Amino acid sequence: MNPVPLVAVAGNPNAGKSALFNALTGARQKVGNYPGVTVERHVGKTVLPDGSPVELVDLPGAYGLDPTSLDEAVTRDVLIGRQAGERLPSALLIVVDASNLDNHLRFALQLIDLGLPTVVALNMIDMARRDGLELDAARLEELLGVPVVETVAVRRRGLDDVLSRLGELLAQPRKIRSGDGPPPDSLALQRRAREIATAAVVSEAPVRRITHQLDGVLLHPVAGPLILTVILFLMFQAVFSWSAVPADALEAGTMAAGEAIGNALPDGWLRSLVIDGLFAGVGAVVVFLPQILILFLFILVLESTGYMVRAAFIMDRLMSHAGLSGRAFIPLLSSFACAVPGIMATRTIDNEKDRLTTILVAPLMTCSARLPVYTLVIAAFIPAARIGPGIGLQGLVLFGLYVAGIIGALLAALVLRRTAVSGGGGAFMMELPKYQMPRLSDVGIGLWQRATIFLKRAGTIILATTVILWALASFPQAGTGQKQSEVSIAGKIGDAIHTVVAPIGFNKDISMALLPAMAAREVAVAAIGTVYALDAEDEAGLQTLEERLAGRWSLATALAFLAWFVFAPQCISTIAITRRETNGWRWPLFMVTYLFVLAYAAAGATYWTAVSFGLG
Ligand SMILES: Nc1nc2c(ncn2[C@@H]2O[C@H](COP(=O)(O)OP(=O)(O)OP(=O)(O)O)[C@@H](O)[C@H]2O)c(=O)[nH]1
Ligand SMILES: [Mg+2]
């Protein structure tokens, strides 16, 4: 006797597979309105219209056939008959969400290409209608080349149709439709899915139509990456041009307050702590609040509109060439705020090697703690010149530093993938949400959070480190004719570090700042501010930190310092979180070593190149 034919129910997460499976078999599979409810296989029985029995297996939802996670691996193995103890299904029932057609068709197309007899359930047609989307199932059937049936699983609508179309297929002798050619890459697949989904639409509400039209442009293989570059470019221009007024006001305010309080205090160590430590040190960091908020304003708006996921999609191809999983995008994106949450977010990457690679390159994404360092040095050394309509040189340099970090990360991943962390790797599938106007409240809350995080850091770790540095830099006191930065304890430590970093063009002031900046990168700014303020006691007139820098560093040194900060693992929290997330000291040590080597090489190369151009 022939075994009972097996029909596999497959599709994207949350398409309604379990609901349809339950409706067809009378089983009670857990159904839930979020992806990932079904995580193992379940089997049930039903009868076809001709009275013959079939077995159905309800599979976990998946985004594709490349096994990047355990549940997707199960799905794939069942479908290609490679799952131990499971026979190859006789037919496939693909469930797609009608109102999310282009996302779901991506996987459906891969499944259809497997060549099994296939029926597509165009499910949740009720939801699609409610949202103003009218689809042509017959046209879809024609384009996909397999039967398409409209269903509403939760209302048991379309079940008879599904069973009769399955019955027809199973009654026919099995036709072998071999999948021809290599599997298309994710962008090509996405394009085909979108074309078919668009062709199947009879009418749709304006919001849906706009989303489609926008995606046609924003995800275009050539225009898409170009537009992404332009958006990022504008973002860094804005960091400088929009912040000019509030940042100057804040700076003037802190200086005035510092002077007023300084005049009120008697001369002595307390006055020095307040003026040189708090105002010249911590104050120098706090004035960068506007820049940080402008950067996050852009990021939050891009997230809220639904564009960020598209950016992930565009970056996916580039990232996969570097051997990074597409799932690495979100962790790497959060690393632009701070590598610590970024590294924690890598927990969503199932493949251990993918995850490790992502952790190891995350510190190369330019975190917001570098922003004060970058903007201070740029403002002091790069002229605020216009090099084109609306294009400022300072913003361009900042953009370049961010790009240098990204390219550094991609190259590092490429090398790591061939050496320390070879193996693994998988494709990327993600739901593309609808575009919407940015929600003011989301953006507001996000900005508020960023501002509090920044000010808290200033009030705690930056303050504490700066006070320690102030103490080390104040004692012992310099006699007449001596410079404070030469006789103090901090000065002596700086001397020791200086011997190591002098070849890459760093002066003694930078050397003194490197160690405290391990606590938090912004402390580099605070430390330099404090050291200069202590040294400047005898100098006439108040100067901004920017002016002090411009007077003391050569351009070559400034550029080398910037290059150093692109790569250097200047942050203890990042090292600590890497230790925790990789369960040991091996990988954090590896990370610190390779990043310091890179930083040293990059700073040195920058310095000597600049010197050879006569900028020393
Ligand atoms: N309105 C409507 N809701 C549906 C329909 N089919 C399923 N749902 C709902 O959609 C949600 C997801 O359904 P599930 O059956 O859990 O989806 P699934 O595909 O099994 O999801 P995973 O197991 O996570 O892969 C549930 O809230 C269902 O009640 C439908 O045709 N119309
Ligand atoms: Mg399910």
Side-chain angles (χ1 to χ4, degrees), residues 13-19 31-32 36-38 61 123-124 126-127 152-154:
N14 216 27
K17 296 176 299 300
S18 296
V31 165
V37 174
T38 306
N123 194 38
M124 302 208 191
D126 55 332
M127 301 290 273
V152 181
V154 288

Side-chain angles (χ1 to χ4, degrees), residues 266-277:
D267 221 2
W269 69 267
L270 181 64
R271 179 169 182 275
S272 170
L273 174 63
V274 171
I275 301 287
D276 305 327

Side-chain angles (χ1 to χ4, degrees), residues 15 56 68 93 101 123 178 181 195 261 268 340 377 430 435 487 503 583:
L56 266 67
T68 46
L93 175 55
L101 208 52
N123 194 38
S178 66
E195 277 163 15
I261 295 176
V340 172
V377 177
M430 202 181 209
Y435 288 102
V487 295
N583 289 320

Side-chain angles (χ1 to χ4, degrees), residues 295-368:
L295 181 71
F296 280 100
L297 176 69
F298 269 82
I299 292 179
L300 289 165
V301 166
L302 292 179
E303 266 174 18
S304 181
T305 50
Y307 181 74
M308 222 36 135
V309 180
R310 269 88 184 173
F313 207 83
I314 295 168
M315 289 300 291
D316 178 43
R317 191 162 16 184
L318 201 60
M319 299 204 340
S320 64
H321 284 316
L324 280 170
S325 144
R327 282 174 211 247
F329 185 81
I330 299 295
L332 291 181
L333 186 71
S334 3
S335 302
F336 278 105
C338 175
V340 172
I343 287 172
M344 267 151 60
T346 60
R347 289 184 195 168
T348 55
I349 305 173
D350 301 270
N351 183 292
E352 265 314 306
K353 296 197 160 157
D354 286 352
R355 177 158 181 251
L356 188 56
T357 315
T358 312
I359 291 177
L360 291 175
V361 302
L364 285 167
M365 296 292 125
T366 304
C367 63
S368 58

